Amino acid sequence: MSDSHDSPGGKRGPESKVSRLLRERGFDGFGAELERRWTAEAGARSSLRDLADAFNRRLLRAALAERNERALDGEIETLYRVLTDDDVSSGARTKAVHRLERTGVDVERLEADFVSHRAMRTYLTSYRGVTPPSETDRDDGDLREHRTETIRRLLGRVERVTEKSLSDLAAADELDVDPETAELYVDVRVHCPDCNAHYTVESLIDRGGCDCE
């Protein structure tokens, strides 16, 4: 069933930006998943910013898929962070934009489609009729949001330092690489030895854990 028809009790409010994008992109069932993640038990609940980021990354993945382009492992998280993090260097952003444009992705339209946590709240409360979690219950999600933002900023700093180091080495003929065309990806990965799963740290925090039973 299309997400535009799966709101609780069949009752819907005015179509929001999120509901429109769900319908246009054919993300069937994703609206229900967003609701479940926001209303889950404390400790497993996703914050509104978590949900907005997950939604935007899905938009990015879909934009590449529409061009028959398969993202490399961890590339979606990296590209999304470069496009949205204010601490990312202009050079890194330019490379990310060129990477997408080479595949035919309309980056300007994609970024215009990205939703905020406020838009996510409007969708969940006004369109789906979800009762917001209590202030106490939101503390856990706020902590995840804060820690994720800290990690993003650190990764952005690592990327900028690495990018400058490569440029300096190339300029000194100490490194045979073109820093203008080379694509740099920086992420932190987590391995669970119990289920042998691998995740970027952001995706692990976003999903609330691994697949261990």
Side-chain angles (χ1 to χ4, degrees):
M1 181 180 292
S2 172
D3 185 77
S4 61
H5 295 85
D6 69 354
S7 54
K11 297 179 180 179
R12 293 173 289 154
E15 187 173 42
S16 65
K17 179 179 181 180
V18 175
S19 60
R20 174 180 60 80
L21 288 168
L22 286 167
R23 173 175 52 80
E24 291 177 351
R25 298 295 187 273
F27 292 165
D28 291 354
F30 194 41
E33 178 183 336
L34 293 170
E35 178 180 336
R36 286 194 299 271
R37 290 171 60 176
W38 197 42
T39 57
E41 294 295 329
R45 182 173 300 130
S46 296
S47 70
L48 291 168
R49 194 174 298 278
D50 291 335
L51 297 178
D53 287 341
F55 184 84
N56 293 337
R57 287 194 292 268
R58 182 154 183 171
L59 288 175
L60 175 55
R61 187 181 298 278
L64 287 170
E66 287 173 359
R67 300 296 175 180
N68 296 318
E69 184 75 10
R70 183 175 181 179
L72 299 175
D73 190 27
E75 188 178 15
I76 293 297
E77 288 80 3
T78 301
L79 284 172
Y80 178 64
R81 179 176 56 80
V82 172
L83 291 176
T84 58
D85 194 334
D86 292 336
D87 285 347
V88 171
S89 68
S90 59
R93 174 178 167 78
T94 298
K95 289 178 182 178
V97 170
H98 288 169
R99 156 75 173 93
L100 294 170
E101 289 180 340
R102 283 198 300 270
T103 67
V105 173
D106 186 337
V107 178
E108 185 174 345
R109 178 191 172 191
L110 174 65
E111 291 184 314
D113 282 345
F114 283 165
V115 303
S116 66
H117 68 282
R118 294 183 181 86
M120 184 59 63
R121 181 184 179 89
T122 297
Y123 167 70
L124 290 168
T125 59
S126 298
Y127 185 79
R128 296 190 68 89
V130 180
T131 301
S134 68
E135 290 295 330
T136 301
D137 287 343
R138 283 204 297 269
D139 288 345
D140 197 63
D142 291 341
L143 178 60
R144 290 201 304 273
E145 178 181 328
H146 175 71
R147 297 307 185 194
T148 300
E149 182 64 25
T150 298
I151 292 169
R152 286 174 180 165
R153 291 182 181 278
L154 288 172
L155 288 175
R157 189 177 306 165
V158 170
E159 186 167 2
R160 290 195 302 276
V161 171
T162 304
E163 186 178 51
K164 185 177 186 307
S165 297
L166 293 178
S167 296
D168 291 345
L169 290 169
D173 291 329
E174 296 289 338
L175 185 65
D176 185 16
V177 67
D178 184 353
E180 296 300 320
T181 58
E183 296 183 355
L184 177 65
Y185 299 101
V186 178
D187 62 18
V188 177
R189 304 194 66 81
V190 181
H191 170 242
C192 175
D194 293 329
C195 63
N196 202 35
H198 292 259
Y199 304 94
T200 64
V201 67
E202 289 185 59
S203 64
L204 180 65
I205 294 174
D206 181 60
R207 64 186 284 131
C210 69
D211 289 329
C212 285
E213 295 183 354

